[in-house]
Structure formats: structure tokens, C-alpha cells
Amino acid sequence: MKHIYFHGNDGADYCFIFVTLTNGTDVEIAQFRRVDDHKWKQVNIKPEEQCIAEDP
């Protein structure tokens, strides 16, 4: 398992969890968000839709 932690531009902390398959492929299994040191809450962020701006 791999845990990726980062601090977002919105001030929240994020954790993405991946598993590595026997063929070496990483598969995301969960995403969590935490604000102000409260408990982690599971989220479903789609970066390709919510975080990447399209060219004009």
C-alpha cells in the first residue's frame, strides 16, 4: 500500500491510498480530506474534472 499526503490550496490536508498489483500497477482505493486537524473524511475528487483548467 502507498499513502500519498499533501496540503491543498484550500487549506485542507489530503490522503490518497493506493495498492500495488503484482504487475506493478498502482490502483487508487480511497481518498480522504481533513480540515483544521479534525477527523479524516472520505471524499471522491476527480482532478481531471475539478482541478485542471481547460485551454481557452
Side-chain angles (χ1 to χ4, degrees), residues 2-46:
K2 296 178 182 178
H3 293 78
I4 310 296
Y5 294 93
F6 61 95
H7 188 74
N9 291 338
D10 60 356
D13 294 317
Y14 292 87
C15 175
F16 287 12
I17 302 174
F18 295 82
V19 293
T20 303
L21 303 179
T22 55
N23 67 1
T25 303
D26 292 330
V27 177
E28 181 185 309
I29 60 169
Q31 302 174 4
F32 295 91
R33 181 176 189 262
R34 179 176 67 185
V35 179
D36 299 329
D37 292 330
H38 291 104
K39 292 184 179 182
W40 290 101
K41 291 186 180 182
Q42 191 164 7
V43 294
N44 186 19
I45 299 169
K46 296 180 179 159

Side-chain angles (χ1 to χ4, degrees), residues 9 46-56:
N9 291 338
K46 296 180 179 159
E48 65 278 3
E49 295 175 9
Q50 298 170 319
C51 301
I52 301 173
E54 293 184 22
D55 292 332

